[in-house]
């Protein structure tokens, strides 16, 4: 199994559509581990945070071989993330913070530390590396997480039993039909 050369940062979270928040619920930072170690740690974190709920997407900036091994050997599907416009993507995270739409669980102590201590290198191409955080893998994971999360998809059911917004004839149900369908579910 290949060994990751640098640290591997992994964040788990979701889009809270109802409240318009991007939520980071858990973190994982591994150094010099095999893909087998990574797969085991990913599964443990996902189970701890999401229980039996399905993980809908995983994005990665790691080597294509590691992504292929995670898929082929361990059944963990990852999509390579785009890495262009780095400064714009970092600014997007900064805007989410300013707008108070990014929520980070307090248990994500390593991510919070990296967010507080990272600085640009002189060329403004990457973060200045240090002994404790290396090249800030969790901060990079945050940028990719925010870039890739679908904030427009409504994860709630599109229909309620007894309610079909569009009837079979392509016409929208009347207001009376809608009220009738929801009666008993809400105080209408």
């Amino acid at each position: 199994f290949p060994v990751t050369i640098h640290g591997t940062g992994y964040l788990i979270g979701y889009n809270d559509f109802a409240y318009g928040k991007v939520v980071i619920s858990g973190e994982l930072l591994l150094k010099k581990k095999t893909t087998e170690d990574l797969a085991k740690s990913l599964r443990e974190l996902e189970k701890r945070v999401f229980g039996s709920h399905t993980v809908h997407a995983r994005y990665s900036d790691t080597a294509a071989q590691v992504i292929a091994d995670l898929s082929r050997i361990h059944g963990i599907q990852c999509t390579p993330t785009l890495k262009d416009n780095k400064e714009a993507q970092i600014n997007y995270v900064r805007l989410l913070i300013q707008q108070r739409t990014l929520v980070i669980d307090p248990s994500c102590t390593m991510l919070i530390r990296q967010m507080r201590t990272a600085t640009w290198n002189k060329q403004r191409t990457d973060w200045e590396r240090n002994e404790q955080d290396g090249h800030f893998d969790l901060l990079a994971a945050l940028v990719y997480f925010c870039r890739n999360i679908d904030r427009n998809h409504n994860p709630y059911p599109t229909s309620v039993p007894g309610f079909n917004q569009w009837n079979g004839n392509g016409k929208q149900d009347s207001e009376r039909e809608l009220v009738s369908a929801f009666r008993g579910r809400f105080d209408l």
Side-chain angles (χ1 to χ4, degrees):
F1 296 108
V3 175
T4 58
I5 297 170
H6 298 291
T8 299
Y10 182 73
L11 297 176
I12 188 168
Y14 59 95
N15 176 43
D16 187 331
F17 186 80
Y19 292 98
K21 305 286 184 186
V22 173
V23 181
I24 305 296
S25 306
E27 67 181 359
L28 180 64
L29 185 60
L30 302 172
K31 297 196 185 241
K32 297 184 180 180
K33 299 290 183 178
T34 65
T35 52
E36 185 172 0
D37 297 329
L38 176 59
K40 181 181 177 199
S41 297
L42 289 177
R43 284 197 176 101
E44 289 171 357
L45 177 64
E46 289 172 356
K47 184 174 182 170
R48 180 175 51 81
V49 172
F50 286 145
S52 62
H53 295 281
T54 303
V55 174
H56 294 284
R58 293 180 195 91
Y59 290 89
S60 177
D61 73 332
T62 194
Q65 184 63 52
V66 174
I67 292 174
D69 288 348
L70 284 171
S71 175
R72 186 176 48 83
I73 299 168
H74 304 286
I76 296 175
Q77 306 302 318
C78 297
T79 302
T81 187
L82 294 173
K83 296 168 104 176
D84 60 327
N85 300 320
K86 184 173 189 167
E87 191 166 352
Q89 298 307 318
I90 292 168
N91 289 342
Y92 177 64
V93 174
R94 293 175 67 198
L95 287 172
L96 291 176
I97 293 167
Q98 286 176 342
Q99 296 165 355
R100 298 186 178 272
T101 55
L102 178 62
V103 178
I104 299 172
D105 189 283
S107 69
C108 298
T109 57
M110 295 178 289
L111 171 61
I112 293 167
R113 182 188 66 244
Q114 288 189 11
M115 290 174 71
R116 287 184 174 143
T117 60
T119 57
W120 280 111
N121 64 16
K122 289 180 182 171
Q123 298 81 22
R124 292 185 65 83
T125 56
D126 206 349
W127 291 287
E128 192 68 46
R129 296 174 186 219
N130 68 33
E131 242 180 83
Q132 184 175 21
D133 292 303
H135 61 283
F136 296 89
D137 297 286
L138 288 169
L139 189 52
L142 178 64
V143 171
Y144 299 136
F145 186 97
C146 293
R147 174 186 194 133
N148 290 296
I149 194 161
D150 183 356
R151 297 192 66 205
N152 297 313
H153 172 72
N154 181 351
Y156 300 104
T158 56
S159 64
V160 173
F163 166 67
N164 180 9
Q165 183 177 2
W166 297 95
N167 64 30
N169 299 325
K171 295 181 181 176
Q172 195 167 8
D173 290 337
S174 72
E175 184 177 340
R176 186 174 8 172
E177 289 170 318
L178 297 179
V179 170
S180 174
F182 281 103
R183 183 159 278 124
R185 291 180 179 80
F186 305 98
D187 291 330
L188 296 175

